[in-house]
Every structure is written in structure tokens, then in C-alpha cells.
Amino acid sequence: MKNNNILETLIIKYKPLFVGTKKSNLNFYNTNPDLDFLLDSKHKKIFVTDTTIFNLELLKPFFGKFSKIADKKTGGTDYSVYSYDKHGLVVIPQGEAFKTMDSVLSIVKTGLDFNLTRKDNFTAIGGGVLTDITAFAASIYKRGACCEFVPTTLLAMVDAAIGGKTGCDFDDYKNVVGAFFPAKALYIYPVLIQSLPEKEFISGFAEAIKTALLFDKKCYEYMKANKDKILKRDPETLYKIITFCAKAKAKIVEKDLSEKNIRMLLNLGHTFGHALESRAGLGVLTHGECVAWGISRSVKASLLLGLCSEEYYNDVINTLKSFGYETSAVHPAFSDSKEILKTMHNDKKNSSSNVRVILQKGICKNVITETTEDIILDALK
Ligand SMILES: NC(=O)c1ccc[n+]([C@@H]2O[C@H](COP(=O)([O-])OP(=O)(O)OC[C@H]3O[C@@H](n4cnc5c(N)ncnc54)[C@H](O)[C@@H]3O)[C@@H](O)[C@H]2O)c1
């Protein structure tokens, strides 16, 4: 309804975002991580890691410098605080179950305890859970402090740490609280992947397959041809894949940081995948295994709509299967298709009663669309 009572209107234009988020420097290394240079800074830093990463052999020389000063608790998150020189370190429990507001606030609280200013830094050393919550904490700390990442999982290196989506889970919904807040710098050491549990490695690789399917046929063919090397985590092969995926994602987020248009493509497999991840219970399945299953359902929906050929559908399904992903219409971890559909409706990316999905006409031929409930249910049986 028109409001006719306005006497005057004034429009205020703003410069985009916080100055610390203007650009991200991505640095790739093919050596073991020597992170001491991060300590040599005129600014204070709060490092954030989890209990598993804190004990990684490759990172012991770095974390070993810190001395424990307290065990603390914020809501449901128990955490330990360490210090070295003027810097602090927060160690929270590992896993998606701790991707919570309480964990975010434990980082904020440590920032306050160390008297960080907005010019100082929050530095995540970890996987996607840590990069997401640390950057979110930085975004709300005194209305915006700097952040930087040392991603330690394949998933974080190829996807989560790049492009400024931050946040945490709430009330059983994934990533419903958050902000766009890119990191100032990323320090990427692919060697860290060698210690990842198999499940986590395979989880991260799903996002790499997604990126190849969306943007590079050559990379997709490279993945198929080098399956054994990938599964054996051959460093050279992984380095190639990581740098390719990081560059592909960087190109997209540079054009569309806040997901108004082409960034939506990166959600291939995610609307189905997030619904499964939530319904199976957060933390039961890895993010990547849900995304891989979601990709299989998206190409099935593409086939049902006559968008892609049977040959393309079979090729994608066989590739996913060859890397060990579940592709059956009814996922063994959660079999109620109607509940999956209901959760897909709740996904924050939907704008109408139809369901927003990313579909494909073929390799790199991507379609952002909304589709009917019938097609979704058909893709789930
Ligand atoms: N912001 C984004 O654009 C974006 C994109 C994709 C995913 N995500 C988010 O990322 C999260 C998943 O990230 P993840 O898969 O990295 O999970 P994660 O951060 O939970 O890490 C997985 C597990 O691996 C352990 N680990 C990390 N590095 C290790 C190493 N080098 N060696 C041994 N163990 C190691 C961790 O302690 C943890 O137990 C999800 O919450 C998802 O929503 C965000």
C-alpha cells in the first residue's frame, strides 16, 4: 500500500562494506606450514582452532608456542584460551555440533579479554566450521574487525574459506545466522590434507567435483582420469585441483559476492544436500557427502525435465559412485522424501512456493531455476 503521508525523502548512499573486507589475498604453498610469520604482526591476533587441529603433528611447532591461561565456558561451548606474546588462541571442540552462536561468542569474548581493536585480527586455523564462525565473530566484533584463514581441510581450501559467506547453525537449521564478510588473507597449505580422516577428505572432494561440473570440463575429465591418484592423495594432483577450484570460486565471488545472481550456481546439489544434512541430524553426515548426493538428485531432476541427456546423467552418477558417494534416490540416512521436500522449502534460498534449484543441461551448462514439488518428489524416488 502506498504511504502518502511522507513529507520529504532522503536517500543515504554508502561505500560498500567494512574496509578490511575489500579484497582477499590467496597464498598457495607447497611446503609444510610454518606459521610463525603470522605472529610477527603489529596487530594483535586471536587465533581460533579446534581440539583436533590443535594436536596435528604439522602444527605442533606453531601451537606449541602458546601457554594455556584458562578453561572457559560460553553457553554450550567449553573452550580453552592460550596466549603467546600479545596474541591469544581459542581452542573449541571439533565438529559441526559446535558451529553455534555460543562458539561465536566465545571468540568474541576472547577478543574482548585481549582488548582487540577493530584493526586487529581473528585468524581461523581449521576447516569450514572454524572459518565460518571465526569470520562471523570478526564481522560482529565491535561492528567489524579483520580476519584471515589457514584452511586445513580440502573443503575449506576449495570452497568454504573463499568468498566471504560466514555464519553458524541455529535451531537445527544450517547457516541461518550469518553475514557476508570476506577474509583479508588466506594461507593455503595443501599438505595439511594428508592427515584428514578419509570421510573428511571425501567430503571436501565433493565440493571440488561440484566446481568442476559447473565451470571446467577439462578439470572434470582430469578428475575422472586421475581417480586413483586423487584417492591416494597424490600431492601434485591435489595441488592442481585445489588451485583450479580456488581460482574458479574466486572468479565467481568477485563478480557476485552477495549471491544476487551467478554465485547461486555454487549451490549445485546444496538445496537437496542441505535438506538431507538437516533431516539426518546436523553432524551425522558430512557436508560433502550430502552435497554429492544432492548433485545426483539435481542431475536426476535435470533429466526428468528433459534438460540433460541420459548419457550426461549416467556419466555424473557413475563418477560420483566411483569416488564412493551415495547416489540412490532414497538416502539410507533419511528416507522420508516428503520431509526432505518440506525442508527444501525452508531453505533460505527459496523465493516462492516452488523450490529453487541449480540444474544442468550438461557439463558447465548451468541453469538457475525454480521447479515444482512433483519434479522434486520424482527425483527422490
Ligand atoms: N562459507 C562457505 O562458503 C561454505 C562453503 C561450504 C561449506 N561450508 C561449511 O563448512 C563446514 C564444513 O567444513 P569442513 O568439512 O572443513 O568441516 P570441519 O571444519 O568440521 O572439519 C572436519 C573435521 O576435520 C578435522 N580436521 C580439520 N583439518 C584437519 C587436518 N588437516 N587433519 C586432520 N583433521 C582435520 C576437524 O577437526 C573436524 O573434525 C560446514 O559447516 C559447511 O556449512 C561453508
Side-chain angles (χ1 to χ4, degrees), residues 25-203:
N25 285 336
L26 274 65
N27 306 289
F28 299 92
Y29 303 84
N30 63 0
T31 59
N32 283 352
D34 176 357
L35 302 182
D36 288 1
F37 73 94
L38 293 175
L39 298 165
D40 186 16
S41 157
K42 66 176 178 190
H43 295 298
K44 279 187 192 170
K45 296 189 179 186
I46 296 297
F47 294 89
V48 184
T49 198
D50 71 27
T51 40
T52 305
I53 299 157
F54 183 70
N55 289 309
L56 285 183
E57 218 40 62
L58 278 176
L59 294 174
K60 274 195 177 151
F62 178 74
F63 290 131
K65 292 190 160 58
F66 287 80
S67 315
K68 190 167 185 175
I69 52 176
D71 286 319
K72 297 200 166 191
K73 190 175 179 74
T74 299
T77 300
D78 288 299
Y79 60 102
S80 303
V81 181
Y82 295 72
S83 74
Y84 171 79
D85 192 14
K86 59 184 181 254
H87 308 300
L89 164 67
V90 187
V91 183
I92 64 167
Q94 65 78 35
E96 184 76 29
F98 289 91
K99 193 176 175 182
T100 58
M101 207 60 206
D102 288 340
S103 299
V104 172
L105 292 176
S106 72
I107 299 167
V108 169
K109 167 92 180 93
T110 311
L112 291 173
D113 290 346
F114 279 77
N115 294 318
L116 253 68
T117 69
R118 296 165 71 181
K119 288 196 173 133
D120 294 324
N121 264 276
F122 290 88
T123 309
I125 304 181
V129 166
L130 287 167
T131 54
D132 277 11
I133 62 171
T134 303
F136 183 40
S139 79
I140 57 173
Y141 185 80
K142 298 185 176 173
R143 301 193 178 88
C146 297
C147 72
E148 58 183 10
F149 300 150
V150 179
T152 62
T153 62
L154 178 56
L155 188 136
M157 290 178 199
V158 298
D159 195 6
I162 303 163
K165 272 194 186 177
T166 80
C168 64
D169 305 331
F170 182 66
D171 229 11
D172 267 352
Y173 287 103
K174 280 212 35 101
N175 303 328
V176 280
V177 187
F180 287 99
F181 202 77
K184 231 171 49 170
L186 270 72
Y187 307 98
I188 302 172
Y189 295 88
V191 68
L192 284 165
I193 289 168
Q194 299 299 333
S195 57
L196 271 184
E198 189 59 13
K199 201 174 154 74
E200 301 300 342
F201 174 73
I202 291 298
S203 171

Side-chain angles (χ1 to χ4, degrees), residues 196-354:
L196 271 184
E198 189 59 13
K199 201 174 154 74
E200 301 300 342
F201 174 73
I202 291 298
S203 171
F205 191 67
E207 296 281 11
I209 293 189
K210 175 202 78 178
T211 307
L213 283 171
L214 286 168
F215 305 117
D216 198 313
K217 186 174 177 186
K218 240 168 92 183
C219 182
Y220 179 59
E221 297 303 332
Y222 180 80
M223 286 171 170
K224 288 199 286 182
N226 289 280
K227 191 191 96 194
D228 293 341
K229 279 188 176 173
I230 291 167
L231 292 175
K232 282 190 192 130
R233 306 189 197 182
D234 171 59
E236 210 178 304
T237 312
L238 291 182
Y239 188 91
K240 263 193 191 162
I241 290 173
I242 289 164
T243 47
F244 156 71
C245 290
K247 283 174 192 165
K249 181 156 183 191
K251 252 193 200 165
I252 295 297
V253 298
E254 202 167 44
K255 288 189 190 138
D256 178 25
L257 176 67
S258 58
E259 202 174 279
K260 290 197 180 68
N261 41 69
I262 55 165
R263 185 173 183 162
M264 286 181 203
L265 293 177
L266 294 168
N267 292 319
L268 175 66
H270 281 63
T271 315
F272 284 102
H274 275 163
L276 174 67
E277 201 171 352
S278 295
R279 299 312 310 203
L282 289 181
V284 171
L285 298 170
T286 63
H287 179 72
E289 51 191 335
C290 294
V291 168
W293 176 80
I295 294 173
S296 80
R297 294 310 87 211
S298 303
V299 282
K300 179 68 192 216
S302 306
L303 179 68
L304 290 169
L305 285 163
L307 288 171
C308 76
S309 65
E310 185 108 30
E311 193 190 348
Y312 181 67
Y313 167 77
N314 286 330
D315 184 69
V316 175
I317 296 292
N318 289 337
T319 305
L320 291 171
K321 274 187 184 160
S322 75
F323 283 100
Y325 297 110
E326 181 63 58
T327 60
S328 50
V330 178
H331 196 287
F334 190 79
S335 58
D336 189 335
S337 317
K338 288 205 172 123
E339 283 299 314
I340 296 267
L341 174 66
K342 208 163 118 193
T343 312
M344 287 170 81
H345 269 304
N346 287 338
D347 195 280
K348 61 195 178 300
K349 295 171 193 88
N350 292 322
S351 57
S352 78
S353 60
N354 285 339

